[in-house]
Amino acid sequence: MAVEIERKFLVLDDSFKHEAFASSHICQGYICSERGKTVRIRIRDERAYITIKGPSPDGGLSRYEFEQEIPLDDARQLMTLCEPGIIDKTRWLVKSGEHTFEVDEFHGDNAGLVVAEVELHNENEAYQKPRFIGQEVTGDRRYYNAQLRRNPYKLWGRQ
């Protein structure tokens, strides 16, 4: 069983763009986004994936994850079955020590939000934070993509 262990952070500035070694465009939708389980369709540039995620027993630090590449045409069809609200973002990859931080710069209804994640092998693994990393938001459901679909960043100031 695959377990994803990651920490999530807010990003302080756009210096990550100068440090990135790659970037890609991502659109994703959710066939199911109930608390504790999600089924996601993702199109990343010209490749597509279906991902199933389970509940997090430890406040958002780790959870079961299954991901499989699927044909791009199938993903486009599956996107029509998704719940309302598509996540649109650019993902930047930044090396820091032995780890790669994935920095998501959101567009559309979530424009202005930038978060970074680092995947770990275990919950206590040490990692080197890049200088653009700010407050940790691991486990804060507002920053989950499935939640951003329902409650986009553009609405946060009005709540």
Side-chain angles (χ1 to χ4, degrees), residues 58-77:
D58 53 12
L61 186 58
S62 66
R63 62 185 173 166
Y64 169 79
E65 179 182 71
F66 168 83
E67 185 170 81
Q68 180 72 46
E69 187 167 0
I70 60 175
L72 184 58
D73 287 339
D74 289 348
R76 288 182 177 135
Q77 287 295 317

Side-chain angles (χ1 to χ4, degrees), residues 33-51:
S33 62
E34 295 178 17
R35 186 178 182 108
K37 57 184 170 183
T38 60
V39 178
R40 174 185 76 200
I41 304 300
R42 174 180 280 175
I43 298 174
R44 185 174 186 162
D45 294 332
E46 295 301 313
R47 298 179 81 171
Y49 306 87
I50 185 167
T51 305

